Amino acid sequence: MNLFDNGLRASKPGLASKMKRVRRSIFRNTIEKIDNRSPADRAIAIDVGAADYLDNMELSAAIFNALPDNKKFDILGCDACLMNMLEIAYENKDVANFMVGSEETEPGTGWPYTSILKKLSDTPNMTPSDLARAITQDYGEYYEKNGNAIQDQSATQSAIDLTHIQPVAESLNELANIMIKNIDEIAGQVLLARQKPQKFDMPEYVDLISFLDDLIKRLPKNKTITDAAKKTLSILKSEQDKFIIANTTWGPRVERASGVSIYFPEHEYLEDYGDLAFSKQYQWKQFLKTMINA
């Protein structure tokens, strides 16, 4: 269903309650662009009457502008689908210290708020990191007990420390630059490495750690690339400056989900992606373009 078809353009809030849970983290929106996209391209925070919604950049800007100077939220909680991407985390690094969300589409039930809020009520002095871990843990336990294997199929949830995102981004940038320079030599193996990792409801969203693992296996003789990939992995898995502080999965479809995904389309690159802060500051966007052209 197109979110901005003629039926939804009218001010009919009742229709919003009947829409399926929307399932895609959109990089950028204009009504004109969205109207021309397929029904699979969806959004969050929809204003049915205005035929508009928040994209990720607008969401981050709205939070930033609402906060007092030099202040951040302790936790940005995303009870929405496909939000725990490196790019979306980077977009929100200046508005929150921790981010909790899902790599995969979320089951319709969403978060188990009762158990989460009870835990916070019982321990009101818990640290933000402990609360972020608790949300992730409670989410996983809820779907282990209550998840419907047919209807829900799978669930993921992770908590990431946004104060440690910079080394991850910079290390991945080094890897992207090396791959761009060697693209003619490695394109085939990189494409194969992209096929095997954990993917999600939108297959262009690829689990970052499982991709790096497969990339290393595909290019054992290219020490420059494997060393760069191993460096990024070591930062992602570091216990000292931990970036992914909690991760949970439920269901066989998402067993390799490690906590953070990245945009890696196979054939079609969305130009909107270039508007994200991560795309403007680092070379992953250029790697994607180079890879698709190759």
Side-chain angles (χ1 to χ4, degrees), residues 7 14 81 88 172 206 289:
C81 301
I88 307 309
L172 188 65
V206 177
K289 288 187 173 182

Side-chain angles (χ1 to χ4, degrees), residues 3 41 83 147 167 185 193 216 230 263 293:
L3 291 177
D41 292 337
M83 291 298 286
E185 176 188 345
I216 291 167
K230 287 177 181 177
Y263 181 60
N293 289 337

Side-chain angles (χ1 to χ4, degrees), residues 29-266:
N29 77 336
T30 66
I31 292 179
E32 292 79 8
K33 286 184 178 181
I34 296 304
D35 217 19
N36 290 326
R37 289 185 179 170
S38 69
D41 292 337
R42 301 176 183 178
I44 62 172
I46 297 164
D47 182 339
V48 177
D52 198 2
Y53 62 91
L54 292 179
D55 63 42
N56 287 293
M57 289 167 292
E58 290 172 333
L59 174 64
S60 177
I63 298 171
F64 183 83
N65 291 330
L67 289 167
D69 290 344
N70 302 315
K71 296 292 185 180
K72 294 182 180 181
F73 280 121
D74 288 324
I75 299 173
L76 175 62
C78 301
D79 189 4
C81 301
L82 300 159
M83 291 298 286
N84 266 26
M85 305 179 69
L86 185 64
E87 299 93 334
I88 307 309
Y90 195 85
E91 198 72 25
N92 290 289
K93 66 181 177 59
D94 295 326
V95 301
N97 291 318
F98 297 92
M99 179 171 168
V100 182
S102 175
E103 287 186 86
E104 180 57 292
T105 55
E106 282 198 347
T109 304
W111 283 15
Y113 286 98
T114 301
S115 61
I116 292 168
L117 294 176
K118 184 179 186 308
K119 192 168 289 185
L120 179 60
S121 176
D122 291 343
T123 315
N125 294 325
M126 71 166 61
T127 65
S129 61
D130 286 342
L131 177 57
R133 290 184 178 95
I135 295 169
T136 304
Q137 178 185 357
D138 285 10
Y139 186 95
E141 290 177 353
Y142 177 85
Y143 286 103
E144 283 288 345
K145 295 176 183 176
N146 303 290
N148 184 313
I150 296 175
Q151 180 178 335
D152 298 327
Q153 296 184 11
S154 60
T156 65
Q157 195 79 184
S158 57
I160 52 184
D161 187 338
L162 298 178
T163 67
H164 292 148
I165 197 171
Q166 205 69 43
V168 178
E170 291 172 359
S171 178
L172 188 65
N173 189 57
E174 292 177 21
L175 175 61
N177 276 319
I178 294 170
M179 291 195 292
I180 290 169
K181 292 175 183 177
N182 293 272
I183 200 69
D184 291 336
E185 176 188 345
I186 67 169
Q189 294 304 311
V190 174
L191 183 60
L192 289 173
R194 184 205 171 279
Q195 305 306 318
K196 294 293 184 180
Q198 176 70 58
K199 298 185 186 67
F200 303 99
D201 190 64
M202 298 297 174
E204 64 267 37
Y205 299 170
V206 177
D207 183 81
L208 182 55
I209 286 179
S210 61
F211 164 68
L212 293 171
D213 282 335
D214 284 1
L215 182 66
I216 291 167
K217 293 174 185 176
R218 290 286 178 183
L219 295 166
K221 296 181 180 179
N222 193 316
K223 191 173 186 302
T224 305
I225 290 178
T226 56
D227 283 353
K230 287 177 181 177
K231 178 181 177 181
T232 306
L233 273 177
S234 69
I235 295 171
L236 283 165
K237 295 179 178 180
S238 171
E239 291 296 325
Q240 183 175 358
D241 298 312
K242 204 167 178 65
F243 175 59
I244 302 169
I245 64 170
N247 182 55
T248 187
T249 68
W250 168 75
R253 291 178 59 240
V254 293
E255 287 177 343
R256 294 185 69 193
S258 61
V260 65
S261 62
I262 194 162
Y263 181 60
F264 196 163
E266 184 173 357

